[in-house]
Amino acid sequence: MFRLTGDVLPGFSRLAGIVYDLLGLKGNCSADVCINDDESMRVLNRDTRGIDNTTDVLSYPALTEIKDFTQKNYPEDFDPVSKSVALGEIAINADAAARQAEEYGTGEREVQYLFVHGLLHILGYDHMTDGDKKVMRELEEKVLAQTDQSVVVAVVGRPNAGKSSLVNAIVGEKVSIVSPKPQTTRDRITGICTEGNKQIVFLDTPGMFKPRTKLDEHMDRSIKSSLGGDADVVVIVLDCTKGITADDEKLIVSRLDSKAPLYVVLNKIDLKNYDAVYPILEKLNPYMNRKSGRSVKDVIPTSCKTGRNIDVVKSALKSECRDGGFLFPEDEYTDRPVKFIISEIVREKALLFLQDEIPHGVGVSVLGVDEDSTPVHIRCDVIVDKKSHKQIVIGDNGAMIKRIGESARRDIEGLLDCKVFLELFVKVRPGWRDRANILHDIGY
């Protein structure tokens, strides 16, 4: 994955991602970009190359050879903060791009061409010979000609299999809450991963279960909507610590009857040794080699906790992307409003710290977000079913609600990138999971 710093113009990150995929690069890398004028480029050329002249682009490679971008391969060039390998620096002459645009096209395209040209230089490409020049030029045109592609992926499975963890790991942001309790996800959360010209849109559905309340019915509709026709690809997440159940096999067979390609992710392999995981893979193998009908495209063992094989899942889903443009702007990672994400963060902390003290009857309604105040003032109601639950959520001398609020505030500050003052009020609303007006206020 590419990380750019400095004067990053619109489109640079997309182009860097295309180069990354096109060249089959692996690991995390970074490059620093600066945009200069004629005079600045002349000074830079003179100081670094001893040439008293301006130029359209300058590249300063930091690496002598290109291999997987890991700390082991590049101990001196690995940045522990960004966890990436520094490739070097690129200086682009905006004045030169404007002049070239008069002959070759728009100024935006010329700036993008110079960026790609400079990036290929720090990745080891050059144009000293006619052959090298041809290879580099063909790569540049191939990168600039790439069209935006996307795919919609439904992530389904039994409760607490790790569906939300998988989406968060691939997107790189928390778009769905994670809890050791089952049925943590209550709505169809859309997570968006955009790298280069490929965009993966995730529908993170609640766990498969039998609905009992109006809230359960809402969750059930989310699952059926995702599987019904919204998704181009289906990913079934299985928990390897629980083996393969008859319900898991039934789910796999039912999804093979649809047209959408099917992948199976065997999650939590960090909790089992190979001897325990292998029989599960062996049991899944017949679904990949069926004699009639469609087969599972791949079974991928993963650990969302350690990150093992998350890149393999991402690559598989990128291969399913098709032409048609992006479905969301490339800088978005979810389509849910900020209020909804805030409510989910608070609910996650309540589930985490309360553990088994109360059932799943906890909802969070965001009453207001005052962005004009400093720090940003946020008020939320934490909703419970019973009076006895209220005291548990508040805790002795308010210790529990304070703990929930402090942990949620840190995550919300990371989300909003600013200081936050978070107020939580515990309210009793008997049978709220069956009351449509309360579910609407919460955002379901």
Side-chain angles (χ1 to χ4, degrees):
M1 182 176 179
F2 247 113
R3 177 177 176 270
L4 300 177
T5 58
D7 301 328
V8 182
L9 297 183
F12 280 5
S13 295
R14 173 186 177 277
L15 293 169
I18 295 172
V19 170
Y20 185 97
D21 286 340
L22 191 64
L23 299 182
L25 304 177
K26 297 184 182 299
N28 296 325
C29 55
S30 62
D32 190 62
V33 185
C34 64
I35 307 295
N36 295 330
D37 56 17
D38 276 333
E39 185 55 33
S40 298
M41 291 294 279
R42 180 186 296 274
V43 172
L44 191 60
N45 220 5
R46 184 172 59 235
D47 291 347
T48 60
R49 302 173 65 206
I51 300 174
D52 189 20
N53 196 3
T54 190
T55 188
D56 54 0
V57 60
L58 289 171
S59 299
Y60 300 95
L63 311 178
T64 56
E65 63 175 325
I66 303 299
K67 45 191 174 182
D68 290 355
F69 300 119
T70 63
Q71 185 174 10
K72 181 180 179 180
N73 287 339
Y74 298 99
E76 301 299 324
D77 298 289
F78 185 83
D79 180 0
V81 177
S82 64
K83 295 182 179 180
S84 62
V85 175
L87 294 176
E89 301 175 4
I90 305 168
I92 297 171
N93 187 345
D95 289 340
R99 288 192 297 271
Q100 291 168 193
E102 295 178 3
E103 181 177 356
Y104 298 112
T106 66
E108 179 183 7
R109 188 185 189 281
E110 285 308 302
V111 169
Q112 292 181 347
Y113 162 74
L114 293 178
F115 168 74
V116 174
H117 186 85
L119 185 59
L120 290 175
H121 268 310
I122 63 175
L123 286 168
Y125 288 85
D126 216 324
H127 42 72
M128 299 299 291
T129 67
D130 288 341
D132 290 342
K133 186 175 181 179
K134 181 181 178 182
V135 169
M136 195 168 180
R137 185 60 183 170
E138 288 176 350
L139 275 174
E140 290 162 353
E141 290 301 324
K142 194 170 184 178
V143 171
L144 293 169
Q146 291 275 0
T147 58
D148 294 336
Q149 300 179 330
S150 60
V151 64
V152 178
V153 180
V155 184
V156 298
R158 306 299 299 173
N160 205 30
K163 300 177 296 295
S164 298
S165 297
L166 178 68
V167 173
N168 290 342
I170 294 177
V171 172
E173 300 282 352
K174 180 178 287 188
V175 295
S176 190
I177 70 173
V178 178
S179 164
K181 292 187 176 183
Q183 290 166 224
T184 302
T185 301
R186 285 181 175 163
D187 207 357
R188 192 174 68 168
I189 310 295
T190 303
I192 306 160
C193 173
T194 305
E195 292 182 359
N197 68 320
K198 299 184 185 298
Q199 185 175 85
I200 308 169
V201 179
F202 290 98
L203 307 179
D204 178 18
T205 62
M208 317 283 292
F209 66 105
K210 293 181 180 180
R212 294 186 300 274
T213 65
K214 286 188 180 296
L215 177 57
D216 291 345
E217 290 172 2
H218 171 86
M219 296 163 69
D220 192 47
R221 285 194 300 272
S222 291
I223 297 170
K224 290 177 179 176
S225 176
S226 295
L227 295 177
D230 293 347
D232 304 313
V233 174
V234 175
V235 173
I236 295 177
V237 181
L238 303 179
D239 181 351
C240 80
T241 66
K242 297 179 180 178
I244 302 298
T245 67
D247 285 338
D248 291 331
E249 294 192 70
K250 184 178 178 181
L251 176 60
I252 292 171
V253 171
S254 68
R255 295 324 307 155
L256 286 172
D257 291 336
S258 71
K259 294 181 180 180
L262 179 63
Y263 291 85
V264 174
V265 168
L266 187 62
N267 193 31
K268 304 183 184 181
I269 61 171
D270 56 296
L271 301 179
K272 290 286 184 178
N273 58 33
Y274 179 78
D275 290 339
V277 173
Y278 181 77
I280 301 175
L281 295 174
E282 194 172 40
K283 195 170 183 179
L284 289 170
N285 188 60
Y287 296 107
M288 294 181 62
N289 301 284
R290 300 175 85 201
K291 294 181 179 179
S292 62
R294 298 173 62 254
S295 298
V296 172
K297 293 197 71 171
D298 201 0
V299 175
I300 307 173
T302 66
S303 168
C304 293
K305 184 176 181 179
T306 66
R308 184 175 177 182
N309 286 342
I310 296 300
D311 58 335
V312 177
V313 179
K314 186 190 296 185
S315 295
L317 297 179
K318 279 184 175 182
S319 71
E320 300 288 351
C321 287
R322 297 295 179 263
D323 291 343
F326 290 160
L327 302 177
F328 296 92
E330 62 181 287
D331 59 347
E332 287 189 10
Y333 62 87
T334 182
D335 70 337
R336 301 315 303 252
V338 170
K339 277 189 176 182
F340 183 85
I341 300 175
I342 290 172
S343 71
E344 288 290 274
I345 290 173
V346 175
R347 190 166 68 90
E348 176 189 53
K349 303 309 177 185
L351 293 176
L352 176 65
F353 296 130
L354 293 169
Q355 295 294 332
D356 297 324
E357 293 184 76
I358 63 173
H360 268 282
V362 176
V364 178
S365 175
V366 179
L367 305 177
V369 179
D370 185 359
E371 297 184 27
D372 294 329
S373 64
T374 304
V376 171
H377 188 182
I378 299 173
R379 296 165 56 244
C380 301
D381 277 350
V382 178
I383 302 170
V384 295
D385 270 315
K386 303 175 182 179
K387 288 184 179 180
S388 59
H389 293 164
K390 179 176 180 178
Q391 188 53 48
I392 294 173
V393 175
I394 293 173
D396 294 336
N397 298 315
M400 178 57 73
I401 195 67
K402 181 179 180 181
R403 186 183 182 192
I404 292 169
E406 287 177 346
S407 182
R409 176 181 53 78
R410 288 193 291 269
D411 280 13
I412 294 169
E413 286 180 341
L415 170 71
L416 302 181
D417 196 25
C418 65
K419 291 292 183 181
V420 165
F421 175 65
L422 177 63
E423 279 190 294
L424 301 180
F425 307 93
V426 185
K427 300 290 181 66
V428 179
R429 299 287 185 268
W432 69 267
R433 287 174 292 175
D434 273 318
R435 295 167 63 178
N437 61 322
I438 295 179
L439 293 176
H440 179 270
D441 290 341
I442 291 176
Y444 299 127

